[in-house]
């Protein structure tokens, strides 16, 4: 009884530790009131490479004294055109204009502004814009939420009027252009929004002239700023494709010489456009409409370099990397999907001819060199994504031909990783390459997460700051690779211990992985941690063999629910600004706005499924597994029968990857990333287990000292190949696990019979046939 309860108790212990780790959050201070006035100055298109001491001396001095960061200008439209950027600023949420525009372009839009009384203004189209954002877009943005949160606001310029207009279209104070003496206007309300113009195009001279004019207007604003005021300067939008990161500078009491960040990014030096509205309200000490704002107040953190050119090198380099990442990522994943599909097609005839025949008949085996070459290609394909992640150690994006530099670095890393697996101990065993590839992949992702996820941010297989979805922790592709690698490692290790200890090995390895994924200090992905917990629970439940019975399913479900409920309860008890994604969703369900979150997630899942090349990887991998590897001639069922822990690991990967993708709004991307690692390794292991299907053993014929039979050498195989696996197979057979049936299929034998169902031939009772288990 105690032995049966041990895995359950151990799982519950890991769940408790997981909840504790996920509940811990980095210490942070709630934003305090720091100003009596806030001035938001926007320059559409302004980037950090436009800022220098000669062209923009005012902004240069302001950046030297204040806090700086890279601004992601995601809005309800891509690219974020100036009107979309100003609307998003005023909404504190992803918003967009309702005017017609070309796909991927930013046409000049004239804002209709009426001034009936000479004091304020009115935007006659504001009602239709609000209706468009409420009914046609999934974020529930209400343009004008920022101005509705203060008693009085000022707008200077048409773009500022778009941001400052209340939902019914009224602008409290308005000036079409900056007055000669703007002090009385800026001091008339606690919030002022100023349109400093646009910096557009790619011609350096034209951009410099536009930036110089914006800087001159900024100098007049700073000269007229009210006492005890916070001035925020932001590159409020893109002006066309490709999207870029933009300038963000904060200057005022409490904002000296730091990096700007916010809870929505969780990374020093980065904030989002939706964060500016709550930042202004927090600085003024005003309550904010949490149900309407997606952004969170920004703060100044860390000690940036005292030398401003050195400090600006970081955001400028991030802008170059993020600009290069999108183009390179699109062709990398397209090539990876194509290569893996072609490799899957090439594996099919090898699977058909891999099973050796005991008699003199049968097709000739595939030449050993061909099989060895395909195995190396399978290893290389499985290592492609971890190698692409590791390639970001080298600054490939700084060269003139960024794509070629990335391809060269990635190819060298793939070759090095393949060579390491090829010459690793146990390379000739069935599970040797699988364990080595899984270990390398898990190590690469875990090392990156443990060191701040530097390779994830703006990496080709990471996430882009331009997308505005994630800025820290573990990304979608990294989550898929880590789930696959961690569970394959758990299955590989579990297969090497006695059957009764296998659930505990899976739970121990999986529990560590859950903490890495879900801890706010590390992976910062609670949805991923919940999905991985479900996968670990399923894997642990069937790691000893057999099927997913009702009792095992209940155990797995209870473990996943325990972690989910525990983390949800703790997350809900936090302040609204400190909650994670799970806590915010449950709070939205409680106040009746949960439908917006479900709508966003559904839209994101559909868009990702249609547009992502990882969907092709996921579907191609599923087709190969279902129509080839799981067929009687495919070898995977035989592999699962001989190695029940590997079957458990792959089942857990499927569960965790699908749940993580659907709940995280990334559809099949997590499954595609996991499949890029798992499917090639499953094909390689299936090839090898079929190649060993007719190995013969004889009692007393060179067997180990304990009397167990040792593997006889098969044709064209090394003399020692399969020796360790024969011992593993004997160990499983003695425990009543998988053996080899008369047709070569893996079967479950009764306790004590070793799974040996081969018919005895009269006169040869001493000769038996068992599966040789390569390990």
């Amino acid at each position: 009884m105690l032995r049966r309860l041990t895995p359950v108790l151990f799982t519950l212990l890991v769940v408790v530790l997981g909840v504790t780790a996920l509940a811990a959050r980095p210490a942070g201070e709630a934003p305090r009131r720091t100003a009596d006035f806030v001035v938001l100055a926007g320059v559409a298109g302004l980037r950090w490479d436009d800022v220098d001491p000669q062209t923009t001396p005012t902004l240069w001095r302001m950046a030297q004294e204040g806090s700086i960061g890279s601004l992601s200008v995601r809005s309800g439209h891509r690219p974020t055109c100036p009107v979309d950027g100003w609307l998003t600023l005023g909404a504190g949420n992803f918003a967009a204009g309702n005017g017609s525009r070309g796909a991927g372009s930013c046409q000049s839009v004239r804002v209709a502004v009426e001034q009936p009384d000479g004091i304020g203004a009115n935007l006659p189209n504001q009602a239709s814009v609000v209706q468009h954002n409420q009914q046609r877009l999934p974020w529930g943005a209400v343009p004008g939420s920022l101005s509705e949160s203060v008693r009085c606001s000022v707008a200077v310029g048409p773009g500022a009027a778009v941001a400052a207009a209340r939902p019914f279209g009224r602008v409290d104070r308005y000036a079409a252009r900056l007055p000669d003496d703007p002090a009385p206007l800026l001091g008339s309300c606690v919030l002022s929004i100023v349109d400093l113009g646009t910096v557009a195009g790619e011609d350096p001279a034209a951009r410099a002239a536009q930036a110089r004019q914006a800087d001159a207007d900024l100098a007049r604003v700073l000269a007229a700023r009210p006492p005890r005021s916070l001035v925020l300067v932001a590159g409020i939008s893109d002006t066309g494709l490709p999207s870029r990161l933009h300038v963000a500078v904060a200057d005022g009491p409490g904002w000296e010489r730091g990096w700007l960040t916010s809870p929505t990014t969780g990374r020093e030096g980065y904030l989002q456009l939706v964060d500016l509205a709550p930042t202004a309200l927090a600085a003024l000490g005003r309550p904010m409409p949490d149900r309407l704002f997606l952004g969170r107040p920004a703060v100044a953190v860390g000690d940036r370099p005292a030398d401003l050119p050195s400090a600006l090198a970081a955001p400028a380099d991030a802008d170059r990397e993020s600009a290069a990442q999108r183009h390179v990522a699109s062709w990398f994943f397209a090539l990876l999907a194509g290569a893996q599909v072609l490799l899957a097609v090439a594996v099919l005839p090898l699977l058909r001819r891999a099973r050796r025949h005991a008699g003199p008949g049968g097709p000739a085996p595939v030449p050993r060199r061909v099989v060895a070459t395909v195995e190396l290609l399978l290893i290389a394909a499985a290592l492609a994504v971890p190698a692409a992640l590791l390639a970001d150690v080298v600054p490939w994006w700084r060269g003139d031909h960024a794509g070629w530099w990335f391809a060269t670095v990635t190819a060298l890393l793939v070759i090095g990783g393949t060579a390491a697996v090829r010459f690793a101990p146990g390379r000739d065993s069935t599970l040797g390459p699988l364990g080595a590839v899984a270990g390398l992949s898990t190590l690469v992702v875990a090392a990156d997460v443990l060191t701040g996820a530097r390779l994830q941010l703006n990496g080709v297989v990471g996430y882009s700051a331009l997308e505005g979805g994630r800025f820290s922790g573990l990304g979608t592709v990294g989550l898929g690779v880590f789930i696959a690698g961690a569970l394959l490692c758990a299955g590989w290790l579990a297969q090497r211990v006695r059957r009764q200890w296998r659930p505990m090995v899976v739970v121990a390895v999986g529990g560590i992985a859950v903490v890495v994924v879900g801890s706010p200090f590390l992976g910062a992905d609670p949805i991923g941690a919940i999905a991985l917990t479900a996968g670990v629970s399923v894997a642990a439940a069937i790691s000893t063999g057999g099927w997913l019975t009702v009792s095992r399913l209940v155990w797995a479900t209870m473990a996943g629910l325990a972690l989910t409920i525990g983390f949800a309860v703790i997350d809900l008890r936090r302040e609204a600004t400190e909650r994670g994604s799970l806590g915010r969703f449950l709070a939205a369900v409680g106040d009746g706005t949960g439908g917006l979150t479900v709508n966003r997630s559904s839209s994101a899942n559909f868009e990702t499924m249609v547009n992502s090349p990882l969907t092709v990887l996921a579907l191609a991998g599923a087709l190969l597994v279902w129509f080839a590897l799981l067929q009687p001639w495919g070898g995977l069922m035989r592999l699962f029968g001989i190695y029940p822990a590997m079957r458990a690991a792959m089942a857990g990967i499927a569960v965790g990857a699908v749940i993580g993708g659907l709940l995280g709004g990334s559809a099949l991307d997590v499954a595609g990333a996991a499949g890029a690692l798992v499917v090639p390794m499953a094909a390689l292991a299936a090839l090898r287990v079929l190649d060993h299907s007719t190995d013969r053993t004889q009692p007393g014929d060179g067997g180990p000292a304990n009397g167990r039979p040792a593997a006889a050498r098969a044709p064209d195989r090394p003399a020692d190949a399969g020796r360790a696996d024969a011992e593993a197979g004997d160990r499983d057979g003695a425990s009543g696990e998988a053996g080899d049936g008369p047709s070569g299929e893996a079967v479950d034998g009764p306790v004590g019979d070793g799974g040996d169902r081969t018919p005895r031939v009269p006169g040869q009772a001493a000769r038996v046939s068992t599966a040789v288990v390569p390990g």
Side-chain angles (χ1 to χ4, degrees), residues 209-302:
Q210 295 166 352
R212 189 176 293 109
Q213 179 60 50
D215 189 76
D217 290 340
L218 176 62
R220 295 165 60 196
V221 170
L222 292 180
R225 65 190 292 182
R228 192 174 161 74
S229 60
L230 166 65
V231 177
L232 292 167
V233 178
I236 209 72
S237 72
D238 295 311
T239 54
L241 289 175
S243 297
R244 303 289 292 270
L245 293 175
H246 295 274
V247 168
V249 183
D251 180 50
W255 300 86
E256 295 84 5
R257 297 178 180 270
W259 293 110
L260 292 175
T261 188
S262 83
T264 66
T265 66
R267 189 181 290 270
E268 292 184 3
Y270 288 87
L271 72 160
Q272 299 192 74
L273 181 59
V274 294
D275 297 326
L276 297 183
T279 300
L281 294 183
L284 293 170
R286 301 298 175 93
M288 59 191 68
D290 289 323
R291 291 179 58 181
L292 301 178
F293 281 3
L294 279 185
R296 294 292 181 266
V299 294
V301 298

Side-chain angles (χ1 to χ4, degrees), residues 175-199:
R177 61 185 60 85
L178 199 66
D180 293 335
D181 180 14
L185 183 63
L186 298 180
S188 62
C189 294
V190 295
L191 175 65
S192 298
I193 304 176
V194 182
D195 182 356
L196 295 179
T198 301
V199 179

Side-chain angles (χ1 to χ4, degrees), residues 87-108:
L87 284 170
T88 298
L89 171 64
N93 198 339
F94 300 132
N98 60 345
S100 60
R101 67 191 86 192
S105 65
C106 286
Q107 299 176 352
S108 178

